[in-house]
Amino acid sequence: MTVFQLLHWNGSLAAMRERQCSRQEVIQHYSHRMLDDDMRAMMALDWMSREQDKTGNITKELKQAQEELDRSRKGGRELRFPKEKKDILTLAAVQVETAKRKQSDK
């Protein structure tokens, strides 16, 4: 379930719909995939792209993800979805900072 939650949150499901992938095709493809480092990296790339379009996007989302994680923890709710969001956004933020440093070193 977490994979589909992340795909929805990340905008990937909407992109697949725009490419006219059927709901059944999406379910069939992702129901057998585990959430792994490759999937996280691909989602982080999506957020890096959004950051290029609008600076501060990752920081804003990261703050919201941390708040959601804290609320879930305090409320005794499932933590995997908010934790994965935070991890993906953190990965994207690190990649953006690394790219900025490389640009400024030139």
Side-chain angles (χ1 to χ4, degrees), residues 24-79:
Q24 191 60 35
E25 289 171 323
V26 173
I27 290 170
Q28 190 174 18
H29 179 75
Y30 283 102
S31 63
H32 300 291
R33 283 199 61 191
M34 298 293 294
L35 182 59
D36 59 9
D37 289 339
D38 290 338
M39 190 180 291
R40 287 182 193 96
M42 292 305 295
M43 290 185 188
L45 284 172
D46 291 339
W47 284 99
M48 291 169 63
S49 175
R50 290 182 188 132
E51 184 70 14
Q52 286 179 337
D53 295 340
K54 184 177 178 189
T55 303
N57 216 355
I58 292 175
T59 302
K60 179 181 151 215
E61 284 289 326
L62 192 52
K63 182 179 179 207
Q64 289 175 352
Q66 182 62 54
E67 290 169 356
E68 181 181 354
L69 182 58
D70 293 343
R71 283 192 308 272
S72 295
R73 185 175 289 127
K74 288 177 186 172
R77 291 187 301 273
E78 175 64 41
L79 300 177

Side-chain angles (χ1 to χ4, degrees), residues 83-99:
K83 182 206 170 291
E84 290 294 347
K85 283 178 20 177
K86 181 179 174 268
D87 289 351
I88 290 164
L89 292 164
T90 300
L91 177 59
V94 167
Q95 294 293 341
V96 167
E97 284 303 312
T98 301

